[in-house]
Amino acid sequence: MKLLNIDWNYYEFPEGIKSVEEFIAFVNENPNKFIKMTEFEEKNCCYPYFIREETQTIYLNFANINRISEFDGKVLLRVEYERKLRELVQEKCLDCVHFEGDPDNLEGHWDCMRLDGYCSLYKKKDKDD
């Protein structure tokens, strides 16, 4: 799904808006520069994958925005996100120097492993480890 990146924070498009061009036109036509937005929190997930339950409603002042872009992201329910992350931990982490031995413990994996399998901390164990 298409999502918005506004000054390095991540948002859903407002209802009925499907592109960054439509969004910019909506902002420019709106006399109120504070617009209600749904922001995705980045705790317990790793860009471009987000957890539906970890959002907050904010009013963003568009008079002070420096950067807007759209990107392809994926929003999942927490239970689905955790299931997929746990599967990846069991598949990808067992031979990593940072793995602490419990594939069901997601601590330490939330903010470094994306659901496409990329991990920013992965380092393969030497044979001697």
Side-chain angles (χ1 to χ4, degrees):
M1 83 186 298
K2 294 289 186 190
L3 300 172
L4 284 167
N5 178 329
I6 302 172
D7 287 344
W8 305 107
N9 293 309
Y10 307 106
Y11 302 89
E12 275 189 315
F13 278 97
E15 192 172 320
I17 298 175
K18 299 188 182 348
S19 72
V20 71
E21 293 82 10
E22 287 180 25
F23 180 72
I24 291 169
F26 168 76
V27 169
N28 287 333
E29 292 168 4
N30 192 331
N32 181 4
K33 292 304 175 193
F34 281 91
I35 296 175
K36 184 178 178 179
M37 301 290 295
T38 299
E39 180 179 25
F40 291 100
E41 296 180 12
E42 292 183 79
K43 64 181 183 181
N44 299 329
C45 62
C46 198
Y47 168 91
Y49 303 91
F50 300 95
I51 297 172
R52 170 60 55 203
E53 295 90 339
E54 295 198 14
T55 62
Q56 62 179 340
T57 299
I58 64 163
Y59 288 84
L60 198 54
N61 181 353
F62 281 89
N64 295 321
I65 298 300
N66 294 310
R67 181 182 182 283
I68 299 176
S69 64
E70 68 180 30
F71 65 96
D72 290 318
K74 187 146 186 156
V75 180
L76 299 118
L77 294 174
R78 180 187 315 282
V79 66
E80 184 179 6
Y81 194 101
E82 287 180 359
R83 181 184 56 75
K84 288 179 183 255
L85 184 59
R86 193 168 281 111
E87 287 172 3
L88 281 169
V89 168
Q90 293 171 359
E91 177 185 326
K92 303 267 184 184
C93 298
L94 301 179
D95 67 344
C96 177
V97 298
H98 302 290
F99 183 66
E100 295 183 6
D102 182 2
D104 289 323
N105 182 358
L106 298 178
E107 194 67 36
H109 298 281
W110 292 104
D111 59 350
C112 61
M113 180 171 279
R114 295 189 319 217
L115 294 184
D116 62 5
Y118 172 78
C119 179
S120 61
L121 296 179
Y122 178 79
K123 184 177 177 190
K124 188 174 178 76
K125 287 181 187 175
D126 291 334
K127 289 188 240 180
D128 300 329
D129 289 343

